[in-house]
Amino acid sequence: MKIALGPLLYYWSRQQTLEFYAQIAESPADIVYLGETVCSRRHELRAEDWLDVAAMLKAAGKEAVLSSQSLIESESDLKALRRIVAQDGFRVEANDMSAVNLLTKAGRRDWIAGPTLNIFNPQTLSMMAESGATRWMAPPEMSGAVLAELLASGAPAIETEVLAWGRLPLAHSARCFTARHYNLQKDTCEFRCLGMKDGLVLRTREGEPFLTLNGVQTQSARVHNLLADLPTLRDTAQVLRVSPQGDNTVAVLELFRDAIAGTLSPLDAFTRSKTLMVEAPCNGFWHGRPGVEQYVSA
Amino acid sequence: MTSNTKIELVCPAGSLPALKTAVDHGADCVYLGFKDATNARNFTGLNFDAKALAEGVRYAHDRKRKVLVALNTYPQAGNWAGWTAAVDRAADMGIDAIIVADPGLMAYAQKKHPQLRLHLSVQGSATTYEAINFYAERFGIQRAVLPRVLSLPQVQHVIANTQVEIEVFGFGGLCVMVEGRCALSAYATGESPNCNGACSPGKHVRWEQTPQGMETRLNGILIDRFDDGERAGYPTLCKGRFDVNGETYYAIEEPTSLNTLELLPDLARAGVRAIKIEGRQRSPAYVGQVTRVWREAIDKVMRDADSFAVQPAWIAELDKVSEGRSHTLGAYYRPWK
């Protein structure tokens, strides 16, 4: 089982970001997804910077992957996508059907079908594999049982990745909810999300943390945490994805390494992870329940 | 593209009476779904069984109108056969196109029913011509419905770069998130638009009068609280009032409807081929009212886009059936973002 670090979904300063990936180079992550996937206005790191980070991680023995933007709206977004597809130093994660189209046309046979492609059945997965995908990530809302059924129903032999840690990416919008909070428009947002290391928490009127505003993306407030579910993950996933968070990401990766290696039981790993989360855990999606629920308490 | 490209008016039919009302009031096409999770409006009491569909198709075709069947949720390994059976049933009924989101299902339809027109559903989340052209090259889709996230110039740019007919939303409920990419309902209730065809489903809704006011909950999660005299809206979770940094407001979107009537000449000039009215969950009265206004407006634009002006009476009519009695241009108007 491999450990992947998902793309950084928040907007950290250039220095914070570079320092973060310098730490990741020393971490147990086997695969690191890089690049801006949420908002095209976020430019602390330019395309060349991301390539430099990818090269640094590759030199440290990691597989570096360039992730494409999830919601593509403009020709300049497409231009950025074409650049990612044109480079051949690193594999690409396709997060939109535009990326699948361009990768296929470029004859790439090594890409990763990302979580926003809505792959819910073996027929669609086979189509992605025939088009050149060699790994795919299940949609986070897919349960373990449905995934197992998919894999048993004639799915192609490509790697399966599952989101195992992090705030759930729940939705994308044209509207920037962070800018809206400050009564600003997206085009003149003053980059208010810059430096919010874990986004902006939205609470119910009873004070319960419910969602996280991260620019045009809406996430869960709770941390999707499948450490205790490792036994069922072993049967279905070859790659476990950890989503970066403001603090303790390396410690989380280390817990996954120890739990996968068996030096720590899944329940012990889950117990230890409680101090590493920004909010309470949840794992409902994996159990076919509302995602907000923590189905197995440990 | 010229301004006299015909624009089809595509109206919602949650039931046979709604279908007939839409046809009688001037819809060029009606769209509908079966009574199950194969479509994204899987609500109790809505949609069509085989008998109602047969009658609906006959009613529409007798009047030279089209019937489109939405099969726009994502099938899974365990229920795949239900979706392919729905494709077969729709094709056998002689409908004019199916509206599909899942690539696997498109491949099935293309192979099994090569003559069947395929429309890419808004649930397919295709926001660029590169994505739309992919579906066209692979599956021969002939129309794509754009998600409600693009500005008007972005819509124009998509149309200029694809041969696929483009359909846009004109009126009705405003989905703030990219359709097909939203799991908020699944997060709160376990039921999602993608897999179950339901957003914020009624069986999870609770209304409760409390000393603090009327509270609306979705699976126990407080979505909004209303003062006495305030009209308590349905708890669609992205249209609730929440607290961010100590400030309570509609943090995602106010309860409001999309209305692009004033953009109609621009949409016509851009070469939009169809305008979709949202609202299969609404009453035949809603369908009739909205269809009548949009029929009149589209006819005016087709005759002469340059002299088109939105009539106050149209807006008055539409506001009566708008959520919160207000409307917005949504993402078509860039500052909304």
Side-chain angles (χ1 to χ4, degrees), chain A residues 5 12 15-25 244-245 249:
Chain A
L5 182 71
W12 297 347
Q15 193 181 336
Q16 279 175 310
T17 308
L18 294 176
E19 282 171 5
F20 174 74
Y21 284 109
Q23 286 175 31
I24 294 304
Q245 58 183 37
T249 304

Side-chain angles (χ1 to χ4, degrees), chain A residues 70-75 78 82 95-102 104-105 116-124 127-128 130-131 141-142 146 149-151 153 168-177 179-187 196 200-206 209-211 213 216 218-223 282 285 288-293, chain B residues 74-80 102-105 107 123-131 133-135 137-139 148-151 154 157 161 176-184 186-190 192-196 204 215 217 219-227 237 241-245 247-254 331 334-337:
Chain A
S70 297
L71 170 58
I72 297 185
E73 293 180 62
S74 66
E75 191 61 41
L78 281 175
R82 289 190 182 103
N95 285 319
D96 159 83
M97 216 53 96
S98 318
V100 174
N101 191 9
L102 295 176
T104 308
K105 281 192 174 143
T116 43
L117 289 182
N118 280 339
I119 300 168
F120 281 102
N121 54 65
Q123 288 79 2
T124 297
M127 195 207 84
M128 295 295 171
E130 285 157 19
S131 304
E141 67 176 288
M142 183 177 279
V146 167
E149 201 169 19
L150 186 158
L151 295 173
S153 307
L168 288 158
L170 294 174
H172 285 85
S173 176
R175 170 176 271 180
C176 176
F177 304 113
R180 178 174 166 84
H181 176 68
Y182 294 102
N183 293 317
L184 298 168
Q185 292 165 9
K186 185 165 77 174
D187 286 345
M196 285 183 187
L200 190 55
V201 174
L202 174 152
R203 296 169 192 274
T204 69
R205 293 170 80 174
E206 292 174 312
F210 178 36
L211 301 172
L213 305 180
V216 298
T218 305
Q219 305 176 332
S220 62
R222 287 182 171 229
V223 179
C282 64
F285 277 151
R289 312 273 309 164
V292 64
E293 292 182 5
Chain B
Y74 290 88
Q76 296 165 358
N79 57 30
W80 173 257
D102 181 66
L105 200 62
Q123 294 293 122
S125 318
T127 53
T128 71
Y129 60 86
E130 292 287 6
N133 290 343
F134 173 81
Y135 289 103
E137 286 159 26
R138 286 296 176 94
F139 311 114
R148 283 160 274 190
V149 293
L150 300 181
S151 65
Q154 286 167 345
H157 188 67
N161 287 282
V176 182
M177 304 304 180
V178 190
E179 293 90 339
R181 295 273 185 86
C182 181
L184 287 174
Y187 180 66
T189 72
S192 74
N194 275 347
C195 299
N196 313 91
H204 295 282
E215 293 185 344
R217 288 176 190 271
N219 197 23
I221 299 163
L222 183 64
I223 302 299
D224 211 343
R225 179 185 284 155
F226 301 88
D227 293 335
L237 70 83
R241 276 178 289 196
F242 300 102
D243 177 285
V244 183
N245 272 344
E247 194 187 332
T248 300
Y249 65 112
Y250 293 107
I252 296 173
E253 175 62 305
E254 285 88 4
R334 205 167 171 111
W336 177 86
K337 297 177 176 184

Side-chain angles (χ1 to χ4, degrees), chain B residues 3-10 28 143 166 264-269 271-276 294-295 298-299 301-302:
Chain B
S3 63
N4 51 18
T5 309
K6 183 174 160 33
I7 296 181
E8 285 186 349
L9 177 59
V10 184
D28 295 301
R143 181 178 293 180
I166 296 299
L264 202 45
D266 295 317
L267 295 170
R269 286 186 201 104
V272 160
R273 295 291 294 274
I275 303 255
K276 185 180 223 94
W294 277 83
R295 177 76 275 153
I298 289 175
D299 287 346
V301 157
M302 291 293 99

